[in-house]
Amino acid sequence: MPAAVVEYKGWKEGRGCGYCGSERGKVSAGMWAHSMTVQDYQDLIDRGWRRSGKYVYKPIMNQTCCPQYTIRCQALHFQASKSHKKVLKKMLKFLSKGDVSKVASEEEPMDSHIEDAVACDFPYKSESQVSQSELTPLGVDHTESVQNEDKDSGETKEEVNVQKVESDSLQTCAAKDTPVPGEPSHSAKVVHAPPKPGKGADLSKPLCRKAKDIRKERKLQKLLQNQKCTLEGSQLPGGDQAFLLQNSKPKTNQPKTIEDFVLVSLPDDARHKLEVRLVPVSFEDPQFKSSFNQSATLFAKYQMSVHKDTPSDCGENEFTRFLCDSPLEAEHAPNGPECGYGSFHQQYWLDGKIIAVGVIDILPYCVSSVYLYYDPDFSFLSLGVYSALREIAFTRQLHEKAPDLCFYYMGFYIHSCPKMRYKGQYRPSDLLCPETYVWTPIEQCLPLLENSKYSRFNQDGKAVDEGRLKELGRVRVLHKRTVMPYSVYKKRRKGPSDEANVQQYASLVGQTCSERMLLFRS
């Protein structure tokens, strides 16, 4: 398997922040990834890294003005909220009947997948002047052998079942002022007097019942009657009788899943047809190549309309560099999804035309959302919410073939920026502790973030980063087309020491990735 090759760019401080408006408050570290395996990137995002094109960056959490916490949704246990279901129903109504009614409360303040990766990081996106031959390792220096230790990269997955109990309000009906036969006089007994019309329910009469409950009771009585006749006609074993009686009990209504909405069959006379296509990000793929121009045009329309970019800011070169170039090497595994791992575009085709594209990475443990752009003419469909729900459903679909793939990563959660808190509405979800890199249920994190925009979520004061750098000498380096451990490179290097730079890089990526990826040194 080819190893990842990265060039570490160091820290960048004093940059403008698009979240709080600070002109010089943003601090992050970054590296240019010439190539990267999906397992490398999975391990990196589990340490707070994200990619923008081939540029991979990590906010310096305790120094940046707006700390950005990696957030993941437990897709297998996700339950759509009422507002999520409204968006799904709205799409169904549009497809079946052409209904374009708008509900203001369903719109998010901004699209679901916008990342801190557009204008501010573009200066890094130019390929370095390193020739490809220099990046291709030709030999491995065994002067000082380094044994790779197989470590368990799987996180402890705490399953948090968030059950939403929605209680129906008690319904009563008011009755008219009619005398009740046999009721004693008010002089003999104090009773609740019937209220005047419009003043409330008549407490002397039974509560009105829902028609649905009445139908359930009648159905249950009929079922019990039929079973009684069956039992009288033939003596069934006790276990069978118990089974029949158990099945006679009314079952509570199960909440509808995303799949109940997106997989429903539309009527034959449906006004519109929506098709979601998964296309590998590769110019060698026929579907990607044939739809490139339409996709790039849609990107420019979206950027100019929503983010107010100029045409020069969102041309084909910018589109390719930002959303088509990916360092991830496509990979197929026997126990992996049929589509394989790597970078993909999920294209939403409405009546033969692309109206939205979700850029995603399919990794060993998750589907990672990179970006979403859509046709502003269809913003009434809440495509940011809709695409996020479709991607959660897609994650669950992939899980059937790839059991380890069960999370949906939504990028960064920024509590200090109110308009970016909507990602926390996809429950159950976890935030990544910025110090120990363990996942913590978001319900436990929110009180901490209310008190301080930077917080350590792991409440065990003795806990440390288990993946921290332990041996700098074992960091793998690519130098003069030869792979070697840093301890060997350090002895051969001429000129000023670069140990502080390598130490910073290895501390941020962790011991496992630093031993697996190749750090390019000129």
Side-chain angles (χ1 to χ4, degrees):
M1 181 180 296
V5 179
V6 299
E7 283 186 83
Y8 183 59
K9 299 293 186 179
W11 284 22
K12 290 299 292 183
E13 304 179 49
R15 292 184 297 149
C17 176
Y19 299 111
C20 67
S22 170
E23 295 182 359
R24 303 182 61 82
K26 193 172 174 184
V27 185
S28 67
M31 57 187 175
W32 183 267
H34 294 275
S35 65
M36 184 170 288
T37 68
V38 290
Q39 185 62 61
D40 287 332
Y41 187 51
Q42 175 73 68
D43 291 345
L44 285 176
I45 63 175
D46 284 337
R47 293 184 65 84
W49 292 81
R50 291 289 290 176
R51 79 172 183 88
S52 170
K54 289 189 174 183
Y55 181 70
V56 188
Y57 64 101
K58 172 180 169 61
I60 305 302
M61 300 289 281
N62 60 353
Q63 298 190 36
T64 192
C65 55
C66 294
Q68 299 161 288
Y69 299 90
T70 303
I71 182 172
R72 73 178 186 185
C73 172
Q74 298 182 30
L76 304 188
H77 305 287
F78 174 77
Q79 291 185 349
S81 66
K82 282 187 176 181
S83 61
H84 292 152
K85 291 178 181 177
K86 284 183 180 179
V87 172
L88 294 170
K89 290 176 182 177
K90 181 167 57 175
M91 176 63 80
L92 281 178
K93 289 182 179 178
F94 171 73
L95 295 176
S96 59
K97 301 178 181 179
D99 186 2
V100 295
S101 59
K102 301 181 181 180
V103 181
S105 61
E106 295 167 6
E107 299 295 336
E108 289 183 344
M110 57 194 303
D111 64 282
S112 271
H113 309 134
I114 190 72
E115 298 295 347
D116 177 27
V118 191
C120 58
D121 289 322
F122 268 178
Y124 290 97
K125 290 190 173 64
S126 58
E127 286 274 10
S128 64
Q129 300 302 315
V130 182
S131 65
Q132 191 60 39
S133 61
E134 290 182 87
L135 296 172
T136 305
L138 294 184
V140 178
D141 194 308
H142 298 286
T143 307
E144 199 167 311
S145 64
V146 178
Q147 295 180 354
N148 292 326
E149 300 175 1
D150 293 330
K151 299 179 181 179
D152 183 11
S153 59
E155 297 286 345
T156 301
K157 302 176 179 64
E158 299 181 7
E159 298 182 355
V160 183
N161 293 315
V162 180
Q163 298 183 352
K164 300 176 181 177
V165 181
E166 299 172 357
S167 59
D168 293 324
S169 58
L170 189 64
Q171 295 188 356
T172 60
C173 64
K176 297 180 180 179
D177 286 323
T178 55
V180 180
E183 184 76 3
S185 64
H186 288 276
S187 58
K189 183 180 178 181
V190 178
V191 296
H192 295 288
K196 295 181 180 180
K199 294 296 184 180
D202 186 349
L203 299 180
S204 65
K205 293 191 175 184
L207 298 176
C208 289
R209 300 173 61 199
K210 291 183 178 180
K212 182 171 69 174
D213 294 334
I214 296 174
R215 288 197 301 270
K216 283 183 178 179
E217 184 175 317
R218 288 175 180 169
K219 185 176 181 180
L220 175 59
Q221 290 175 347
K222 185 176 181 180
L223 184 60
L224 288 173
Q225 184 64 32
N226 292 338
Q227 290 178 357
K228 183 179 180 181
C229 294
T230 303
L231 291 174
E232 290 176 350
S234 60
Q235 290 297 322
L236 295 176
D240 291 344
Q241 293 183 25
F243 175 76
L244 283 174
L245 291 174
Q246 182 180 359
N247 286 340
S248 68
K249 297 179 181 179
K251 297 180 180 179
T252 56
N253 289 334
Q254 294 295 325
K256 283 191 175 182
T257 64
I258 312 172
E259 291 81 1
D260 291 332
F261 291 97
V262 300
L263 299 180
V264 65
S265 299
L266 294 175
D268 294 335
D269 59 347
R271 296 287 298 276
H272 301 285
K273 179 184 178 182
L274 179 67
E275 180 185 1
V276 181
R277 302 178 188 173
L278 184 70
V279 181
V281 179
S282 170
F283 285 97
E284 296 178 359
D285 182 84
Q287 289 191 71
F288 180 81
K289 190 174 181 180
S290 63
S291 61
F292 176 82
N293 290 336
Q294 186 180 167
S295 192
T297 301
L298 178 61
F299 170 75
K301 181 179 181 180
Y302 169 80
Q303 292 294 126
M304 288 188 288
S305 175
V306 177
H307 297 294
K308 311 305 178 186
D309 283 359
T310 63
S312 60
D313 293 330
C314 49
E316 284 193 3
N317 290 336
E318 288 70 23
F319 170 66
T320 301
R321 184 171 56 185
F322 179 33
L323 297 178
C324 300
D325 287 345
S326 171
L328 301 185
E329 300 290 341
E331 182 181 327
H332 287 78
N335 60 341
E338 293 182 2
C339 60
Y341 299 105
S343 297
F344 296 83
H345 282 187
Q346 233 177 7
Q347 301 173 340
Y348 293 77
W349 290 77
L350 180 69
D351 302 332
K353 173 186 175 184
I354 301 177
I355 63 165
V357 177
V359 183
I360 60 174
D361 292 328
I362 300 178
L363 305 175
Y365 308 139
C366 73
V367 169
S368 174
S369 173
V370 179
Y371 200 71
L372 171 82
Y373 58 97
Y374 56 83
D375 190 335
D377 295 341
F378 294 90
S379 59
F380 63 88
L381 290 174
S382 303
L383 291 170
V385 182
Y386 183 77
S387 63
L389 296 174
R390 289 291 301 239
E391 287 169 8
I392 291 174
F394 180 58
T395 304
R396 302 207 287 219
Q397 177 187 340
L398 296 179
H399 169 76
E400 295 177 4
K401 182 68 167 60
D404 290 338
L405 202 164
C406 50
F407 295 101
Y408 174 59
Y409 283 48
M410 297 176 281
F412 289 131
Y413 174 82
I414 309 172
H415 193 77
S416 57
C417 180
K419 67 181 181 180
M420 292 299 290
R421 294 181 184 178
Y422 62 84
K423 293 181 181 182
Q425 297 171 2
Y426 295 83
R427 303 287 181 94
S429 57
D430 310 307
L431 296 184
L432 188 67
C433 176
E435 295 182 8
T436 61
Y437 301 110
V438 296
W439 293 99
T440 307
I442 193 171
E443 293 84 358
Q444 298 178 24
C445 304
L446 295 182
L448 300 173
L449 294 175
E450 284 294 327
N451 295 327
S452 174
K453 63 182 181 180
Y454 172 77
S455 296
R456 171 191 167 112
F457 300 141
N458 191 333
Q459 295 304 292
D460 182 358
K462 297 181 180 179
V464 297
D465 170 19
E466 296 295 336
R468 67 190 182 280
L469 176 67
K470 301 178 183 69
E471 295 184 52
L472 184 64
R474 296 168 66 94
V475 174
R476 287 221 294 174
V477 171
L478 175 61
H479 178 58
K480 293 185 177 180
R481 304 172 71 184
T482 303
V483 178
M484 63 188 75
Y486 179 73
S487 56
V488 173
Y489 162 78
K490 182 180 178 180
K491 295 175 183 178
R492 296 183 179 182
R493 176 179 171 82
K494 298 178 181 179
S497 172
D498 63 352
E499 185 169 330
N501 184 267
V502 176
Q503 174 92 30
Q504 186 182 87
Y505 153 80
S507 298
L508 292 173
V509 303
Q511 185 75 42
T512 301
C513 282
S514 70
E515 291 185 29
R516 202 165 55 208
M517 300 191 304
L518 302 181
L519 175 63
F520 177 78
R521 310 309 285 170
S522 58

